[in-house]
Amino acid sequence: MESGYVTTPFGRRPMSLGMLASQQLAETIEPGMKRSKWKLFRAICEARPALGVTDRALTVLDALLTFYPDDEISEEKGLIVFPSNAQLSLRARGMTPATLRRHLAVLVEAGLILRKDSPNGKRYARRDRAGAIGEAFGFSVAPLLARAVEIESLAAEAVADRELLRVTRERLTVCRRDISKLIAAALEEGVSGNWEGISAMFRALLARIPRVATAEDLTPLLDEMGLLRAEIINLLERRIKAKKIDANESQIEHHKQNSNPNSLYELEPSFEPKQGEKAAADNENAGPSDERRLRQPSGGMSNRAGGAADPGAGPSLKSFPLGLVLQACPSILDYGPGGSIGNWRDLMSAAVVVRSMLGVSPSAYEEACSGMGPENAATVIACILERGGHINSPGGYLRDLTRRTERGEFAIGPMLMALVRAIGPTARHAS
């Protein structure tokens, strides 16, 4: 376009500041800049939502570009196309004149083309004696060339967003399948746990999936489902480990019975001295083999009845990221050193303070640390603090959770996710 040239529309069509801005933008084309018109059109199709144009408007733009004589758009080859409405309608798949005019206006408003109207509103070109076009009136595609970098960038973003949405959908589908089949396997195998509550949580997550979703909608759901899947796998793995421990110990006991059938340890009944009896004197008079027998718990394998593992040797709960714990339990932040929590040591220090404040006995907290692990025990204390108004006896509640952990019936993940959903976006984060 000529520098500083302003053209106004023919007839009753009004002039607008947007049209003036588009004309000024069209004058900023860098010298020597050129683009393949069909590659640029493909980028416009990719970036269509960001550019604010409809698919029908793109059909009209496609038809307009067919009238540009070369494959590459450049200032040297001219930027004006001047087809009649009849010709343009034929190349726009037979679009009616009224529809054609409406979508041409959409392209102008979107800043993709400009009108350069002649004095009588007709589209034509004046040629010199050599046949070269001197001046043309019609539609200018200069904005396409001026905005080429912007359009290509928007197209790249749209492709990346679409790929992210595809990957997120695939991961969500796999996660849904995993959770569904793992729950079914746990129920079929009779694994202990709150499977009814886990199934209800899974159904609630499924109900939150929108019909038309973006990657931003699905990412938090995928994170929550990933936590739920991790908790289910944790429960199942603990059941598998408990079975292996029982099988190994049974083999050891069987080996002992067969290796020395005449042992007094196997023939004599084992017993545990009652409180008040002279157990200490018995220990002093007993020989080495008797001393081992007195230290052996009564009932042989009775402590492992029902497949429960020894709390001291059982597998610990899975620890969750500190950031997630603080997001779910922001109240614990006030009890950290200096009013903040930056690491697990700070959280465990805060848990000791809160434990005393809640009236949880030191023995109950020590049992929780032994059965769950110190990080998870501190996490549970933070959860109890967050739900303080709903728990009558924090100490008894903590002991109950410790026993359920030893039986493989407790998981921290659902508790944390419930608190995250209850708190919502107002949750504080550690500094």
Side-chain angles (χ1 to χ4, degrees):
M1 288 185 65
E2 301 156 0
S3 179
Y5 182 82
V6 175
T7 178
T8 57
F10 173 77
R12 292 178 294 178
R13 290 192 297 270
M15 182 68 177
S16 67
L17 292 178
M19 295 169 62
L20 182 60
S22 296
Q23 292 182 27
Q24 291 176 345
L25 177 65
E27 297 174 7
T28 63
I29 300 174
E30 297 180 3
M33 187 174 185
K34 57 181 65 176
R35 285 292 190 278
S36 167
K37 63 180 180 181
W38 298 123
K39 289 182 179 179
L40 192 56
F41 178 72
R42 175 65 180 270
I44 293 171
C45 292
E46 295 282 6
R48 180 176 66 83
L51 294 172
V53 292
T54 62
D55 53 348
R56 299 296 299 278
L58 291 182
T59 301
V60 176
L61 180 60
D62 181 27
L64 274 175
L65 290 176
T66 62
F67 289 97
Y68 193 83
D70 296 293
D71 180 68
E72 286 188 336
I73 301 175
S74 64
E75 284 190 291
E76 292 78 8
K77 298 175 182 177
L79 298 171
I80 305 294
V81 291
F82 40 89
S84 66
N85 278 352
Q87 293 174 319
L88 193 55
S89 176
L90 287 175
R91 297 196 188 183
R93 297 4 177 220
M95 190 176 290
T96 62
T99 305
L100 186 66
R101 288 191 295 270
R102 185 168 68 251
H103 291 299
L104 284 170
V106 170
L107 293 173
V108 172
E109 291 173 5
L112 296 179
I113 62 173
L114 289 175
R115 293 181 185 272
K116 186 180 179 183
D117 289 344
S118 65
N120 61 1
K122 301 294 184 180
R123 300 175 200 137
Y124 58 89
R126 291 197 180 99
R127 300 178 184 271
D128 56 20
R129 293 183 178 181
I133 295 177
E135 186 176 15
F137 298 96
F139 295 103
S140 171
V141 294
L144 297 182
L145 202 56
R147 299 179 63 186
V149 175
E150 175 196 355
I151 291 170
E152 290 164 352
S153 176
L154 290 174
E157 290 178 7
V159 172
D161 290 343
R162 187 171 65 247
E163 181 63 17
L164 176 61
L165 178 60
R166 182 188 67 80
V167 172
T168 305
R169 283 184 178 277
E170 289 179 353
R171 291 177 178 173
L172 188 63
T173 299
V174 172
C175 195
R176 289 172 59 181
R177 182 186 66 200
D178 291 347
I179 293 174
S180 177
K181 294 197 173 184
L182 288 172
I183 291 176
L187 294 175
E188 184 177 352
E189 296 288 339
V191 179
S192 59
N194 185 18
W195 298 110
E196 183 177 350
I198 292 176
S199 298
M201 185 178 297
F202 180 47
R203 290 193 296 270
L205 289 174
L206 293 179
R208 289 167 51 194
I209 300 177
R211 293 180 61 87
V212 180
T214 63
E216 289 75 14
D217 298 329
L218 297 181
T219 299
L221 288 172
L222 178 59
D223 292 340
E224 292 188 42
M225 282 197 182
L227 288 175
L228 184 59
R229 177 175 60 182
E231 279 302 310
I232 294 172
I233 293 174
N234 188 30
L235 289 173
L236 296 180
E237 286 180 346
R238 282 193 288 168
R239 174 61 180 269
I240 293 171
K241 290 178 181 178
K243 283 186 174 182
K244 288 182 178 179
I245 292 172
D246 289 345
N248 291 338
E249 291 180 350
S250 297
Q251 290 175 2
I252 292 171
E253 293 294 334
H254 182 68
H255 177 70
K256 284 182 178 179
Q257 293 173 6
N258 292 338
S259 62
N260 191 3
N262 296 322
S263 172
L264 291 177
Y265 174 78
E266 298 297 335
L267 296 175
E268 294 181 359
S270 60
F271 64 94
E272 185 175 2
K274 297 182 181 179
Q275 185 176 5
E277 294 183 357
K278 298 180 181 180
D282 293 339
N283 285 334
E284 291 177 0
N285 298 327
S289 61
D290 296 329
E291 185 175 325
R292 287 194 299 269
R293 183 173 71 252
L294 290 172
R295 287 199 301 264
Q296 176 72 16
S298 63
M301 292 291 290
S302 61
N303 285 350
R304 291 181 293 274
D310 182 9
S316 60
L317 287 176
K318 174 185 176 182
S319 297
F320 285 85
L322 179 61
L324 176 62
V325 175
L326 298 180
Q327 181 184 358
C329 310
S331 299
I332 196 73
L333 289 167
D334 297 329
Y335 301 91
S340 65
I341 293 175
N343 51 51
W344 281 106
R345 184 182 296 275
D346 293 345
L347 179 64
M348 288 186 281
S349 298
V352 172
V353 177
V354 172
R355 186 273 306 163
S356 177
M357 184 189 71
L358 293 176
V360 177
S361 66
S363 62
Y365 187 60
E366 288 176 6
E367 291 176 6
C369 289
S370 176
M372 302 178 182
E375 292 88 354
N376 289 321
T379 299
V380 171
I381 288 291
C383 292
I384 293 175
L385 174 66
E386 201 66 36
R387 299 180 55 199
H390 305 281
I391 299 174
N392 296 327
S393 175
Y397 183 61
L398 180 62
R399 288 186 186 275
D400 179 64
L401 293 184
T402 303
R403 287 192 295 268
R404 289 170 57 190
T405 299
E406 294 168 358
R407 296 194 300 266
E409 298 176 356
F410 172 63
I412 296 179
M415 178 185 291
L416 287 175
M417 287 189 288
L419 289 174
V420 169
R421 288 196 297 272
I423 293 172
T426 60
R428 294 179 298 170
H429 297 275
S431 57

